[in-house]
Amino acid sequence: MLRPPPKRLGKLLSRTMNHCEADPRAVGKRVLVAGLGNYGLQGTRHNVGMAVLNQLAQKLNIADQWKADRRCCADVTITNVEEAELVLMKPRRLMNINGLSVASAAETYNLGVEDIYLVHDDLEKPLGKMAIKLGGSARGHNGVRSCISSLHSDCMVRLRVGIGRPVGEAMVDHYVLGRFASAEHEVLQRVLEQAADLLLEHILQRSSGKDRTPPGNKGDRTPH
């Protein structure tokens, strides 16, 4: 059972874990997008969320503007796209405690849980598949579990990027901490590009009030 949120986070929690709405309001002009992973372990499957953030920053021409923000122990870069202000962040903590950085960023930038996007790897989807999901359990993902615990809510929007499961007797922990095989890199680049496009499209649609994503998946996408 989760403990009540500390007072300093109370103002952030406009929705509780059991009350994600099927037709959420459009997010405000400021949106936090967190790429989950283990800081410093670039190129691993578990860090594909951070790789998507790097791709998005490149798409928005701010890839050279990442700065360390000690207030939330993360690398942050901020830009405006149409009517939305995007705060992109990569936690400088281990995956299992990424939520501490995300919660601190939400407080620092005055955001509610409905304004937060989590981008992370998904073992249940093969490489090349991705989906937008509103709310729901962590499904065994420690980074998502940390965010749910730290924010006392599971109502964040999540972009789940497939990495597939290991074959044979390979251990899951070794698999997710391993690097993508050379044969996967061509597909991976297309995945990162489409994930960045899908993420930006969804954010702008929600900001304009056009998106009506129900709880659960918004369907898999496959890179062309």
Side-chain angles (χ1 to χ4, degrees):
M1 182 175 181
L2 292 176
R3 294 175 295 178
K7 290 182 180 179
R8 67 186 181 87
L9 289 178
K11 63 181 179 181
L12 306 175
L13 309 181
S14 57
R15 289 179 176 80
T16 59
M17 288 184 61
N18 297 320
H19 295 85
C20 292
E21 298 180 8
D23 185 14
R25 70 164 178 83
V27 297
K29 290 186 177 181
R30 179 178 290 170
V31 179
L32 176 67
V33 187
L36 305 187
N38 291 298
Y39 193 81
L41 295 181
Q42 293 89 346
T44 63
R45 294 182 177 89
H46 221 17
N47 273 36
V48 75
M50 290 187 174
V52 171
L53 265 284
N54 288 336
Q55 182 68 36
L56 180 57
Q58 182 176 332
K59 177 182 178 68
L60 298 174
N61 296 316
I62 54 173
D64 60 346
Q65 297 178 27
W66 291 101
K67 295 181 180 179
D69 189 333
R70 294 183 179 180
R71 297 170 297 177
C72 51
C73 191
D75 285 352
V76 173
T77 184
I78 302 174
T79 191
N80 292 294
V81 182
E82 296 183 8
E83 296 300 317
E85 180 184 35
L86 275 61
V87 180
L88 310 185
M89 70 167 293
K90 297 182 292 184
R92 282 177 164 255
R93 291 184 164 107
L94 295 177
M95 176 72 89
N96 293 4
I97 53 174
N98 270 190
L100 297 177
S101 289
V102 175
S104 295
E107 180 183 18
T108 298
Y109 294 100
N110 193 28
L111 293 163
V113 293
E114 68 276 5
D115 301 312
I116 298 173
Y117 281 72
L118 305 179
V119 186
H120 63 89
D121 58 298
D122 191 333
L123 281 165
E124 301 305 322
K125 295 183 181 300
L127 180 65
K129 294 285 188 178
M130 65 191 73
I132 294 282
K133 184 177 188 293
L134 172 61
S137 69
R139 295 190 176 189
H141 192 287
N142 290 331
V144 175
R145 181 182 294 115
S146 173
C147 291
I148 291 173
S149 176
S150 297
L151 290 164
H152 295 266
S153 174
D154 68 351
C155 292
M156 298 74 72
V157 179
R158 290 157 51 187
L159 174 57
R160 303 162 56 201
V161 182
I163 60 170
R165 279 195 169 273
V167 295
E169 299 181 358
M171 298 293 290
V172 169
D173 55 346
H174 292 163
Y175 176 77
V176 299
L177 294 176
R179 296 183 177 276
F180 287 97
S182 57
E184 297 175 309
H185 279 286
E186 183 177 350
V187 175
L188 177 62
Q189 185 55 42
R190 295 199 302 270
V191 166
L192 298 180
E193 292 171 359
Q194 183 167 349
D197 290 343
L198 176 61
L199 188 58
L200 185 58
E201 176 187 7
H202 192 273
I203 290 170
L204 295 179
Q205 285 181 350
R206 277 190 93 206
S207 296
S208 65
K210 295 179 181 179
D211 182 77
R212 293 295 180 265
T213 305
N217 291 338
K218 193 178 179 178
D220 287 335
R221 296 280 188 98
T222 303
H224 300 297

